[in-house]
Amino acid sequence: RNTSVDIINIEIDTQQRYQSMLGFGGAITDASIVNLNSLPSHTFVDDILNAYYNKHVGSGYSMGRVPIASCDFSEYSYTYA
């Protein structure tokens, strides 16, 4: 058993910029909507959405990505092609 600990130092140069950040977010798939709609109360839905998108009581996501067709957890496969 290896009990040695490697220490990694990460330095951030706040003066060097490589790209701009538009925001953070998550995927809003049909599978996630099916799950949200299955909850017994809209209060739970509000709580979940606030946990992601409310910057005061949640993670503060500012974006959502919607897939163009079905995803791996969709109830059935479909496409708009």
Side-chain angles (χ1 to χ4, degrees), residues 47-71:
D47 290 344
I48 290 170
L49 293 176
N50 278 321
Y52 282 106
Y53 291 97
N54 188 310
K55 65 181 177 182
H56 301 293
V57 297
S59 298
Y61 282 7
S62 57
M63 300 181 148
R65 177 181 59 83
V66 179
I68 295 175
S70 62
C71 65

PDB file of all heavy atoms in Angstrom, residues 47-71:
ATOM      1  N   ASP A  47     -38.438  24.068  -5.727  1.00  0.00           N
ATOM      2  CA  ASP A  47     -37.244  23.874  -4.891  1.00  0.00           C
ATOM      3  C   ASP A  47     -36.063  23.393  -5.726  1.00  0.00           C
ATOM      4  O   ASP A  47     -34.929  23.859  -5.558  1.00  0.00           O
ATOM      5  CB  ASP A  47     -37.517  22.879  -3.766  1.00  0.00           C
ATOM      6  CG  ASP A  47     -38.456  23.422  -2.705  1.00  0.00           C
ATOM      7  OD1 ASP A  47     -38.663  24.657  -2.659  1.00  0.00           O
ATOM      8  OD2 ASP A  47     -38.986  22.609  -1.920  1.00  0.00           O
ATOM      9  N   ILE A  48     -36.319  22.443  -6.617  1.00  0.00           N
ATOM     10  CA  ILE A  48     -35.242  21.895  -7.458  1.00  0.00           C
ATOM     11  C   ILE A  48     -34.721  22.955  -8.420  1.00  0.00           C
ATOM     12  O   ILE A  48     -33.503  23.151  -8.557  1.00  0.00           O
ATOM     13  CB  ILE A  48     -35.727  20.644  -8.212  1.00  0.00           C
ATOM     14  CG1 ILE A  48     -35.934  19.496  -7.218  1.00  0.00           C
ATOM     15  CG2 ILE A  48     -34.743  20.248  -9.314  1.00  0.00           C
ATOM     16  CD1 ILE A  48     -36.638  18.294  -7.794  1.00  0.00           C
ATOM     17  N   LEU A  49     -35.622  23.665  -9.090  1.00  0.00           N
ATOM     18  CA  LEU A  49     -35.183  24.702 -10.027  1.00  0.00           C
ATOM     19  C   LEU A  49     -34.457  25.833  -9.310  1.00  0.00           C
ATOM     20  O   LEU A  49     -33.463  26.363  -9.826  1.00  0.00           O
ATOM     21  CB  LEU A  49     -36.374  25.224 -10.827  1.00  0.00           C
ATOM     22  CG  LEU A  49     -36.986  24.216 -11.788  1.00  0.00           C
ATOM     23  CD1 LEU A  49     -38.221  24.794 -12.465  1.00  0.00           C
ATOM     24  CD2 LEU A  49     -35.968  23.744 -12.815  1.00  0.00           C
ATOM     25  N   ASN A  50     -34.915  26.193  -8.126  1.00  0.00           N
ATOM     26  CA  ASN A  50     -34.208  27.213  -7.339  1.00  0.00           C
ATOM     27  C   ASN A  50     -32.827  26.730  -6.918  1.00  0.00           C
ATOM     28  O   ASN A  50     -31.878  27.517  -6.865  1.00  0.00           O
ATOM     29  CB  ASN A  50     -35.021  27.615  -6.108  1.00  0.00           C
ATOM     30  CG  ASN A  50     -36.076  28.642  -6.438  1.00  0.00           C
ATOM     31  OD1 ASN A  50     -35.836  29.548  -7.226  1.00  0.00           O
ATOM     32  ND2 ASN A  50     -37.241  28.505  -5.833  1.00  0.00           N
ATOM     33  N   ALA A  51     -32.701  25.449  -6.607  1.00  0.00           N
ATOM     34  CA  ALA A  51     -31.398  24.906  -6.216  1.00  0.00           C
ATOM     35  C   ALA A  51     -30.381  25.044  -7.343  1.00  0.00           C
ATOM     36  O   ALA A  51     -29.187  25.200  -7.100  1.00  0.00           O
ATOM     37  CB  ALA A  51     -31.540  23.440  -5.809  1.00  0.00           C
ATOM     38  N   TYR A  52     -30.845  25.003  -8.576  1.00  0.00           N
ATOM     39  CA  TYR A  52     -29.945  25.166  -9.715  1.00  0.00           C
ATOM     40  C   TYR A  52     -29.803  26.619 -10.160  1.00  0.00           C
ATOM     41  O   TYR A  52     -28.693  27.112 -10.368  1.00  0.00           O
ATOM     42  CB  TYR A  52     -30.439  24.341 -10.906  1.00  0.00           C
ATOM     43  CG  TYR A  52     -30.130  22.875 -10.789  1.00  0.00           C
ATOM     44  CD1 TYR A  52     -31.134  21.961 -10.493  1.00  0.00           C
ATOM     45  CD2 TYR A  52     -28.840  22.398 -10.965  1.00  0.00           C
ATOM     46  CE1 TYR A  52     -30.857  20.613 -10.377  1.00  0.00           C
ATOM     47  CE2 TYR A  52     -28.558  21.058 -10.847  1.00  0.00           C
ATOM     48  CZ  TYR A  52     -29.567  20.167 -10.556  1.00  0.00           C
ATOM     49  OH  TYR A  52     -29.289  18.843 -10.440  1.00  0.00           O
ATOM     50  N   TYR A  53     -30.910  27.334 -10.332  1.00  0.00           N
ATOM     51  CA  TYR A  53     -30.884  28.604 -11.049  1.00  0.00           C
ATOM     52  C   TYR A  53     -30.994  29.849 -10.179  1.00  0.00           C
ATOM     53  O   TYR A  53     -30.783  30.954 -10.670  1.00  0.00           O
ATOM     54  CB  TYR A  53     -31.983  28.615 -12.117  1.00  0.00           C
ATOM     55  CG  TYR A  53     -31.680  27.648 -13.229  1.00  0.00           C
ATOM     56  CD1 TYR A  53     -32.233  26.379 -13.252  1.00  0.00           C
ATOM     57  CD2 TYR A  53     -30.779  27.985 -14.230  1.00  0.00           C
ATOM     58  CE1 TYR A  53     -31.918  25.479 -14.253  1.00  0.00           C
ATOM     59  CE2 TYR A  53     -30.461  27.093 -15.243  1.00  0.00           C
ATOM     60  CZ  TYR A  53     -31.039  25.848 -15.239  1.00  0.00           C
ATOM     61  OH  TYR A  53     -30.709  24.951 -16.221  1.00  0.00           O
ATOM     62  N   ASN A  54     -31.293  29.730  -8.924  1.00  0.00           N
ATOM     63  CA  ASN A  54     -31.394  30.905  -8.062  1.00  0.00           C
ATOM     64  C   ASN A  54     -30.023  31.225  -7.476  1.00  0.00           C
ATOM     65  O   ASN A  54     -29.430  30.407  -6.784  1.00  0.00           O
ATOM     66  CB  ASN A  54     -32.408  30.640  -6.945  1.00  0.00           C
ATOM     67  CG  ASN A  54     -32.707  31.876  -6.142  1.00  0.00           C
ATOM     68  OD1 ASN A  54     -31.811  32.576  -5.685  1.00  0.00           O
ATOM     69  ND2 ASN A  54     -33.998  32.147  -5.967  1.00  0.00           N
ATOM     70  N   LYS A  55     -29.539  32.426  -7.752  1.00  0.00           N
ATOM     71  CA  LYS A  55     -28.186  32.776  -7.287  1.00  0.00           C
ATOM     72  C   LYS A  55     -28.125  33.093  -5.798  1.00  0.00           C
ATOM     73  O   LYS A  55     -27.053  33.157  -5.218  1.00  0.00           O
ATOM     74  CB  LYS A  55     -27.616  33.935  -8.099  1.00  0.00           C
ATOM     75  CG  LYS A  55     -28.333  35.239  -7.944  1.00  0.00           C
ATOM     76  CD  LYS A  55     -27.696  36.300  -8.817  1.00  0.00           C
ATOM     77  CE  LYS A  55     -28.462  37.611  -8.723  1.00  0.00           C
ATOM     78  NZ  LYS A  55     -27.879  38.620  -9.591  1.00  0.00           N
ATOM     79  N   HIS A  56     -29.274  33.277  -5.157  1.00  0.00           N
ATOM     80  CA  HIS A  56     -29.279  33.600  -3.730  1.00  0.00           C
ATOM     81  C   HIS A  56     -29.394  32.357  -2.842  1.00  0.00           C
ATOM     82  O   HIS A  56     -28.827  32.321  -1.758  1.00  0.00           O
ATOM     83  CB  HIS A  56     -30.407  34.577  -3.408  1.00  0.00           C
ATOM     84  CG  HIS A  56     -30.302  35.861  -4.171  1.00  0.00           C
ATOM     85  ND1 HIS A  56     -29.292  36.781  -3.965  1.00  0.00           N
ATOM     86  CD2 HIS A  56     -31.060  36.362  -5.167  1.00  0.00           C
ATOM     87  CE1 HIS A  56     -29.430  37.791  -4.785  1.00  0.00           C
ATOM     88  NE2 HIS A  56     -30.511  37.566  -5.531  1.00  0.00           N
ATOM     89  N   VAL A  57     -30.135  31.354  -3.295  1.00  0.00           N
ATOM     90  CA  VAL A  57     -30.325  30.159  -2.469  1.00  0.00           C
ATOM     91  C   VAL A  57     -29.859  28.878  -3.163  1.00  0.00           C
ATOM     92  O   VAL A  57     -30.008  27.795  -2.625  1.00  0.00           O
ATOM     93  CB  VAL A  57     -31.812  29.985  -2.054  1.00  0.00           C
ATOM     94  CG1 VAL A  57     -32.264  31.145  -1.190  1.00  0.00           C
ATOM     95  CG2 VAL A  57     -32.707  29.821  -3.265  1.00  0.00           C
ATOM     96  N   GLY A  58     -29.304  29.015  -4.358  1.00  0.00           N
ATOM     97  CA  GLY A  58     -28.883  27.836  -5.109  1.00  0.00           C
ATOM     98  C   GLY A  58     -27.525  28.020  -5.747  1.00  0.00           C
ATOM     99  O   GLY A  58     -26.727  28.861  -5.323  1.00  0.00           O
ATOM    100  N   SER A  59     -27.279  27.256  -6.782  1.00  0.00           N
ATOM    101  CA  SER A  59     -25.987  27.280  -7.470  1.00  0.00           C
ATOM    102  C   SER A  59     -25.820  28.495  -8.362  1.00  0.00           C
ATOM    103  O   SER A  59     -24.714  28.836  -8.747  1.00  0.00           O
ATOM    104  CB  SER A  59     -25.827  26.014  -8.322  1.00  0.00           C
ATOM    105  OG  SER A  59     -25.832  24.875  -7.503  1.00  0.00           O
ATOM    106  N   GLY A  60     -26.904  29.127  -8.737  1.00  0.00           N
ATOM    107  CA  GLY A  60     -26.818  30.336  -9.553  1.00  0.00           C
ATOM    108  C   GLY A  60     -26.548  30.076 -11.021  1.00  0.00           C
ATOM    109  O   GLY A  60     -25.938  30.910 -11.691  1.00  0.00           O
ATOM    110  N   TYR A  61     -26.988  28.923 -11.529  1.00  0.00           N
ATOM    111  CA  TYR A  61     -26.838  28.679 -12.964  1.00  0.00           C
ATOM    112  C   TYR A  61     -27.506  29.812 -13.735  1.00  0.00           C
ATOM    113  O   TYR A  61     -28.555  30.312 -13.348  1.00  0.00           O
ATOM    114  CB  TYR A  61     -27.514  27.369 -13.367  1.00  0.00           C
ATOM    115  CG  TYR A  61     -26.755  26.101 -13.051  1.00  0.00           C
ATOM    116  CD1 TYR A  61     -25.586  26.099 -12.314  1.00  0.00           C
ATOM    117  CD2 TYR A  61     -27.228  24.880 -13.504  1.00  0.00           C
ATOM    118  CE1 TYR A  61     -24.914  24.930 -12.037  1.00  0.00           C
ATOM    119  CE2 TYR A  61     -26.564  23.697 -13.235  1.00  0.00           C
ATOM    120  CZ  TYR A  61     -25.408  23.734 -12.505  1.00  0.00           C
ATOM    121  OH  TYR A  61     -24.756  22.568 -12.242  1.00  0.00           O
ATOM    122  N   SER A  62     -26.897  30.183 -14.847  1.00  0.00           N
ATOM    123  CA  SER A  62     -27.448  31.258 -15.669  1.00  0.00           C
ATOM    124  C   SER A  62     -27.826  30.781 -17.069  1.00  0.00           C
ATOM    125  O   SER A  62     -28.310  31.573 -17.875  1.00  0.00           O
ATOM    126  CB  SER A  62     -26.438  32.405 -15.769  1.00  0.00           C
ATOM    127  OG  SER A  62     -25.215  31.932 -16.302  1.00  0.00           O
ATOM    128  N   MET A  63     -27.603  29.511 -17.355  1.00  0.00           N
ATOM    129  CA  MET A  63     -27.887  28.975 -18.678  1.00  0.00           C
ATOM    130  C   MET A  63     -28.488  27.585 -18.576  1.00  0.00           C
ATOM    131  O   MET A  63     -28.262  26.876 -17.612  1.00  0.00           O
ATOM    132  CB  MET A  63     -26.609  28.888 -19.513  1.00  0.00           C
ATOM    133  CG  MET A  63     -25.927  30.194 -19.732  1.00  0.00           C
ATOM    134  SD  MET A  63     -24.492  29.944 -20.748  1.00  0.00           S
ATOM    135  CE  MET A  63     -24.486  31.486 -21.606  1.00  0.00           C
ATOM    136  N   GLY A  64     -29.224  27.225 -19.607  1.00  0.00           N
ATOM    137  CA  GLY A  64     -29.745  25.875 -19.737  1.00  0.00           C
ATOM    138  C   GLY A  64     -29.527  25.396 -21.169  1.00  0.00           C
ATOM    139  O   GLY A  64     -29.682  26.165 -22.110  1.00  0.00           O
ATOM    140  N   ARG A  65     -29.151  24.151 -21.320  1.00  0.00           N
ATOM    141  CA  ARG A  65     -28.919  23.578 -22.651  1.00  0.00           C
ATOM    142  C   ARG A  65     -30.036  22.595 -22.949  1.00  0.00           C
ATOM    143  O   ARG A  65     -30.339  21.709 -22.159  1.00  0.00           O
ATOM    144  CB  ARG A  65     -27.572  22.849 -22.704  1.00  0.00           C
ATOM    145  CG  ARG A  65     -27.300  22.171 -24.044  1.00  0.00           C
ATOM    146  CD  ARG A  65     -25.962  21.455 -24.026  1.00  0.00           C
ATOM    147  NE  ARG A  65     -25.862  20.435 -23.003  1.00  0.00           N
ATOM    148  CZ  ARG A  65     -26.316  19.192 -23.106  1.00  0.00           C
ATOM    149  NH1 ARG A  65     -26.955  18.800 -24.186  1.00  0.00           N
ATOM    150  NH2 ARG A  65     -26.152  18.329 -22.122  1.00  0.00           N
ATOM    151  N   VAL A  66     -30.667  22.783 -24.097  1.00  0.00           N
ATOM    152  CA  VAL A  66     -31.748  21.903 -24.519  1.00  0.00           C
ATOM    153  C   VAL A  66     -31.248  21.095 -25.716  1.00  0.00           C
ATOM    154  O   VAL A  66     -30.840  21.666 -26.727  1.00  0.00           O
ATOM    155  CB  VAL A  66     -33.001  22.714 -24.909  1.00  0.00           C
ATOM    156  CG1 VAL A  66     -34.121  21.803 -25.362  1.00  0.00           C
ATOM    157  CG2 VAL A  66     -33.445  23.592 -23.747  1.00  0.00           C
ATOM    158  N   PRO A  67     -31.270  19.769 -25.631  1.00  0.00           N
ATOM    159  CA  PRO A  67     -30.801  18.957 -26.760  1.00  0.00           C
ATOM    160  C   PRO A  67     -31.754  19.076 -27.959  1.00  0.00           C
ATOM    161  O   PRO A  67     -32.946  19.326 -27.796  1.00  0.00           O
ATOM    162  CB  PRO A  67     -30.780  17.529 -26.210  1.00  0.00           C
ATOM    163  CG  PRO A  67     -31.626  17.552 -24.991  1.00  0.00           C
ATOM    164  CD  PRO A  67     -31.660  18.947 -24.487  1.00  0.00           C
ATOM    165  N   ILE A  68     -31.201  18.884 -29.136  1.00  0.00           N
ATOM    166  CA  ILE A  68     -31.983  19.009 -30.368  1.00  0.00           C
ATOM    167  C   ILE A  68     -32.804  17.747 -30.644  1.00  0.00           C
ATOM    168  O   ILE A  68     -33.793  17.793 -31.351  1.00  0.00           O
ATOM    169  CB  ILE A  68     -31.041  19.335 -31.551  1.00  0.00           C
ATOM    170  CG1 ILE A  68     -30.414  20.700 -31.317  1.00  0.00           C
ATOM    171  CG2 ILE A  68     -31.770  19.285 -32.861  1.00  0.00           C
ATOM    172  CD1 ILE A  68     -29.377  21.086 -32.341  1.00  0.00           C
ATOM    173  N   ALA A  69     -32.420  16.641 -30.094  1.00  0.00           N
ATOM    174  CA  ALA A  69     -33.155  15.383 -30.285  1.00  0.00           C
ATOM    175  C   ALA A  69     -33.136  14.611 -28.965  1.00  0.00           C
ATOM    176  O   ALA A  69     -32.778  15.148 -27.931  1.00  0.00           O
ATOM    177  CB  ALA A  69     -32.522  14.569 -31.413  1.00  0.00           C
ATOM    178  N   SER A  70     -33.518  13.353 -29.017  1.00  0.00           N
ATOM    179  CA  SER A  70     -33.548  12.562 -27.791  1.00  0.00           C
ATOM    180  C   SER A  70     -32.136  12.387 -27.236  1.00  0.00           C
ATOM    181  O   SER A  70     -31.144  12.530 -27.939  1.00  0.00           O
ATOM    182  CB  SER A  70     -34.188  11.198 -28.052  1.00  0.00           C
ATOM    183  OG  SER A  70     -33.443  10.463 -28.998  1.00  0.00           O
ATOM    184  N   CYS A  71     -32.084  12.088 -25.945  1.00  0.00           N
ATOM    185  CA  CYS A  71     -30.799  11.848 -25.294  1.00  0.00           C
ATOM    186  C   CYS A  71     -30.794  10.430 -24.734  1.00  0.00           C
ATOM    187  O   CYS A  71     -31.748   9.679 -24.899  1.00  0.00           O
ATOM    188  CB  CYS A  71     -30.544  12.882 -24.210  1.00  0.00           C
ATOM    189  SG  CYS A  71     -31.696  12.801 -22.830  1.00  0.00           S
TER     190      CYS A  71
END
